[in-house]
Amino acid sequence: MILALAGGVGGAKLAHGLARVLDPSGLVIAVNTADDFRHLGLHISPDLDSVMYKLAGLNDEVRGWGQRDETWQFMEMLGRLGGEDWFNLGDRDLAIHMVRTRRLMAGESLTEATAGLCRTLGIEHVIAPMSDDPVATMIETDDGVLPFQHWFVRLRCEPPVCGVSFEGAAEARPSPPVAAALARDDLEAIVLCPSNPFVSIDPVAAVPGIGEALAGRKVPLVAVSPIIGGAAVKGPAADMMAQRGLPVSPVGVARYYDGRIDGLVIDEADAKLAADVEREGVKTLVTATLMKTADDEARLAEETLAFACRLSG
Ligand code: FO1
């Protein structure tokens, strides 16, 4: 049984690969919900949706977020009416936020609402929020503290980041499926998908009960590097590493995780850095990590699981 931590586009891709090679009973995907926010009266869960859309085959491959074959009539009219239109909600996507919000208002937890949406979309694997309690990533900049989506989407990640905090994390509890996965006797490995360490993986680990369980793990914890050849495949991870004085490479990833991971899967483009990663105290697997096709995702998932298996001896 495997627990995968995911957030963002890279996370959704490896989660999809894992779902292709593991039975529904053998995988729990714990998703970052600190990017969630309330917008236009709706509860938006971008990372849960990225994973859900990917596993349901509904995702837009080019944008990386939202649904394919999307239309934008709601946004057009919203703009015309002078509404808040910096965050793009497609017409199909809107339906998901609407149903999720109504389920939450009817008293369901985010876990229950997500499970209901997954069932309706024909997803058999468990996709669970990291927590049912509200946690919000806050980005500290020179101009003040910004809620994550305002920094990420409205300001296009432009203000340099001085710090990141997770509002509400200290009071949050792991969601029931994640707590159960961490406690299972047959848990074989934990996989950190190639997601942004600072704003996708850290918020999950910031939930009391999850961070401690990861630190006290009895099984290998393997990460896939979100950095390939000195750049992030997508998103602000590379800039955030540079701003923290970390090398923008798998070495920086290993250094940042600082004993929190046992193994790191790095790309062939970074093969020459394998020895440096190992000097950070992290075992290394070198392989092709760029996921362009569903076969790439499944192959990387299989190789990552085999690597974790070797680490557990
Ligand atoms: N990302 C953007 O860059 N611009 C958008 O307008 C945008 C809208 C959006 C709507 C729904 C959704 O589920 C995701 C959306 N995203 C958008 C992506 C989202 O901001 C990021 O993927 C994550 O929060 C970072 O992991």
Side-chain angles (χ1 to χ4, degrees), residues 69-87:
D69 301 326
E70 190 55 281
T71 53
W72 302 94
Q73 301 209 29
F74 166 75
M75 287 307 298
E76 276 163 34
M77 197 60 189
L78 184 67
R80 228 172 107 185
L81 294 172
E84 216 181 318
D85 64 352
W86 57 270
F87 194 78

Side-chain angles (χ1 to χ4, degrees), residues 179-253:
L182 284 164
R184 267 172 71 160
D185 286 341
D186 59 347
L187 180 65
E188 287 166 287
I190 303 165
V191 174
L192 304 188
C193 292
S195 304
N196 184 312
F198 315 103
V199 292
S200 292
I201 300 296
D202 276 1
V204 184
V207 176
I210 300 183
E212 285 81 348
L214 297 182
R217 66 192 174 273
K218 295 190 182 69
V219 298
L221 197 160
V222 171
V224 177
S225 174
I227 302 290
I228 301 179
V233 178
K234 198 172 193 303
D239 286 347
M240 295 177 94
M241 290 183 80
Q243 282 158 1
R244 286 168 188 252
L246 290 163
V248 183
S249 73
V251 180
V253 176

Side-chain angles (χ1 to χ4, degrees), residues 7-9 32 35 44-47 49-50 53 64-66 86-90 93 97 148-149 152-153 200 234:
V9 180
N32 170 39
D35 292 7
I44 318 275
S45 293
D47 286 0
D49 288 347
S50 293
Y53 291 162
W65 51 268
W86 57 270
F87 194 78
N88 295 291
L89 294 173
D93 191 31
H97 309 310
F148 180 77
Q149 296 297 345
F152 189 86
V153 175
S200 292
K234 198 172 193 303

Side-chain angles (χ1 to χ4, degrees), residues 47-124:
D47 286 0
L48 278 173
D49 288 347
S50 293
V51 177
M52 243 168 34
Y53 291 162
K54 182 78 187 170
L55 265 65
L58 294 172
N59 63 302
D60 186 282
E61 292 287 350
V62 179
R63 272 196 316 280
W65 51 268
Q67 295 194 32
R68 70 161 57 123
D69 301 326
E70 190 55 281
T71 53
W72 302 94
Q73 301 209 29
F74 166 75
M75 287 307 298
E76 276 163 34
M77 197 60 189
L78 184 67
R80 228 172 107 185
L81 294 172
E84 216 181 318
D85 64 352
W86 57 270
F87 194 78
N88 295 291
L89 294 173
D91 302 330
R92 288 168 184 268
D93 191 31
L94 198 53
I96 293 285
H97 309 310
M98 188 75 79
V99 170
R100 173 189 296 114
T101 306
R102 285 183 65 86
R103 281 180 174 267
L104 292 173
M105 284 170 65
E108 287 188 14
S109 66
L110 187 55
T111 296
E112 290 162 343
T114 305
L117 288 167
C118 285
R119 254 194 317 276
T120 317
L121 296 175
I123 299 167
E124 291 179 49

